[in-house]
Amino acid sequence: MRSRFAAHLIEQDNPNPFPGIPALERRTGISITTRLGSNECLDAPMQALQDRFGMQFCELARLYGDPECHALRETLAVMNHVDLDEIVVDGGADALISLCLRAFCDPGDKVVCSAGTYPSFGYFARAAGCVIEEVAYHDDGHALQVDLQALLDAVVRNEAKVVYIANPDNPTGSWQGIGDIAEFVTRLPETCTLVLDEAYIDFCEALQPAFGGTLPGCVRLRSLSKAYALAGLRVGYALAAPDILEQLHKVRIHYAVGGLAQYAAQVALDDPRTLATLTEASFIRDALTAHLSNLGFRVLPSGTNFVSLLLPSAQLAQSLVEYLLEQRISVHRPRHPALDRLVRITLCAAALDEPFLSILQETSP
Ligand SMILES: Cc1ncc(COP(=O)(O)O)c(C=O)c1O
């Protein structure tokens, strides 16, 4: 019988061979004072790192972290109104996309996404041996919208195992209401899982409050790279029903999120000042959108920390990218032919500075 999960995982258990010392302490109630079992380099002075970053950094860097990310998951569970067994932490949303594909798909399985959406999905899908079926965005004259009905049709037509939606989407910036997504997921066949990538959800006012538990048949992915500014530390998490996470755990790299990253994530999540950046991003997004629209560019509405321009042709988009590059400014143009006339600009103070704005004024339609 066909299942939601990769065939080879269903029958076999694959427990983590190294649950780690924090798990041992939790299970036994004994606090370990002398670690002689995990082959870390315990006596190294780590002088250079200590001089630069201090002793706490060295202690976190020296030791294997908690593979279960227990403390971090406790914080995230409260934030997201879910139970501990409905959360898994991994090395960024990217690692979670890859994890989902490994857990749900066998080589040759079909997966579905929008043509030109966040390309890591296609990259990991190809790496897992999947066949990708793409669906065009719907241009309503204002935004480029993910076409939920077309995605559903493609899932049914191809008997797809996974459908991927980034909500809000990269690189179009558009979003679907969570009610529409919840309805979409109820219409999926039982053997297909929605991988709902919510890396940018914190930036989308229309999707607040962002934290709303799990959806059946769906893995919701979150990233600490964007609103929490930790892209370099690689922390993301997924919210899903325990039976789905049980399968994800069979293929997860247990030490992928180091102790340092877990600790920094905890500090960032605990501090209310962290999300002050959202107000700033929203101000820059509005100001840049208004400015570029006044110059005659088609600026796509965005629920993210970037805005995208849709130029009349791929050549014009490429010329703008090259011209900016000559001024040592990098923006992003997707390679996918469906979206190669799009230019994506990350929101930050520099995006409102001269000379960037004056170059755009020179090149405006
Ligand atoms: C839609 C989307 N998902 C995931 C990621 C990657 O997130 P992370 O850094 O947590 O792997 C990005 C990064 O740009 C993204 O645009």
Side-chain angles (χ1 to χ4, degrees):
M1 204 183 74
R2 262 172 77 81
S3 145
R4 179 186 300 291
F5 304 109
H8 66 279
L9 291 180
I10 301 164
E11 296 300 332
Q12 95 174 328
D13 199 10
N14 193 19
N16 174 1
F18 299 115
I21 289 182
L24 177 66
E25 291 179 325
R26 283 191 294 275
R27 201 178 68 244
T28 60
I30 297 168
S31 163
I32 305 290
T33 52
T34 312
R35 290 170 77 110
L36 301 181
S38 31
N39 296 354
E40 291 126 340
C41 192
L42 296 173
D43 297 333
M46 301 178 84
Q47 211 55 65
L49 286 179
Q50 206 186 126
D51 291 349
R52 185 161 302 197
F53 299 114
M55 200 53 207
Q56 192 182 15
F57 177 100
C58 290
E59 286 311 318
L60 288 164
R62 182 202 306 276
L63 302 179
Y64 286 108
D66 177 3
E68 295 179 1
C69 304
H70 191 86
L72 185 54
R73 278 168 51 238
E74 280 184 330
T75 301
L76 293 168
V78 173
M79 252 176 83
N80 290 286
H81 311 293
V82 295
D83 293 333
L84 260 192
D85 62 356
E86 294 175 307
I87 294 194
V88 61
V89 174
D90 207 349
D94 270 6
L96 287 154
I97 296 172
S98 168
L99 189 61
C100 287
L101 288 160
R102 297 201 306 277
F104 298 132
C105 298
D106 293 293
D109 279 345
K110 305 267 180 59
V111 298
V112 171
C113 64
S114 300
T117 192
Y118 181 56
S120 289
F121 176 73
Y123 171 76
F124 291 124
R126 282 185 292 276
C130 299
V131 179
I132 304 165
E133 186 70 23
E134 295 184 320
V135 162
Y137 287 97
H138 169 64
D139 188 347
D140 64 9
H142 180 54
L144 291 187
Q145 297 282 2
V146 167
D147 189 333
L148 292 177
Q149 185 59 50
L151 287 174
L152 183 64
D153 293 344
V155 164
V156 173
R157 201 170 51 245
N158 292 284
E159 299 188 339
K161 294 295 297 291
V162 166
V163 53
Y164 171 85
I165 298 175
N167 196 47
D169 182 59
N170 178 8
T172 65
S174 66
W175 64 92
Q176 308 289 316
I178 193 67
D180 292 337
I181 296 282
E183 206 244 338
F184 172 83
V185 87
T186 63
R187 295 167 68 201
L188 289 177
E190 276 199 3
T191 48
C192 181
T193 307
L194 170 63
V195 174
L196 183 65
D197 182 342
E198 299 180 319
Y200 295 101
I201 197 166
D202 303 289
F203 295 96
C204 186
E205 285 88 358
L207 293 178
Q208 303 310 316
F211 301 110
T214 62
L215 292 170
C218 172
V219 183
R220 303 179 79 172
L221 308 185
R222 301 284 171 81
S223 170
L224 270 67
S225 298
K226 312 293 178 185
Y228 292 89
L230 294 180
L233 288 181
R234 312 308 304 135
V235 189
Y237 63 99
L239 307 174
D243 66 316
I244 292 186
L245 293 192
E246 189 190 328
Q247 303 299 325
L248 263 57
H249 280 298
K250 293 183 185 174
V251 287
R252 177 172 166 266
I253 297 173
H254 32 276
Y255 283 126
V257 186
L260 191 59
Q262 290 181 40
Y263 185 76
Q266 188 83 52
V267 170
L269 288 166
D270 285 346
D271 188 340
R273 289 171 301 180
T274 306
L275 292 184
T277 178
L278 296 180
T279 317
E280 182 70 5
S282 163
F283 168 79
I284 297 172
R285 185 172 58 203
D286 291 348
L288 193 62
T289 300
H291 185 80
L292 298 179
S293 303
N294 287 339
L295 292 178
F297 286 104
R298 178 170 174 196
V299 187
L300 298 175
S302 169
T304 67
N305 70 344
F306 58 81
V307 291
S308 291
L309 309 179
L310 203 58
L311 281 101
S313 70
Q315 286 83 342
L316 283 170
Q318 182 58 19
S319 310
L320 175 58
V321 171
E322 283 170 13
Y323 190 53
L324 285 165
L325 192 60
E326 283 166 21
Q327 325 298 315
R328 304 198 296 169
I329 298 172
S330 80
V331 290
H332 178 72
R333 182 174 83 102
R335 285 197 209 152
H336 196 291
L339 291 181
D340 59 3
R341 60 192 185 100
L342 182 149
V343 172
R344 196 189 68 196
I345 303 161
T346 301
L347 300 171
C348 59
L352 290 183
D353 278 355
E354 303 290 337
F356 181 64
L357 292 184
S358 53
I359 294 172
L360 284 168
Q361 183 152 11
E362 275 170 50
T363 53
S364 61

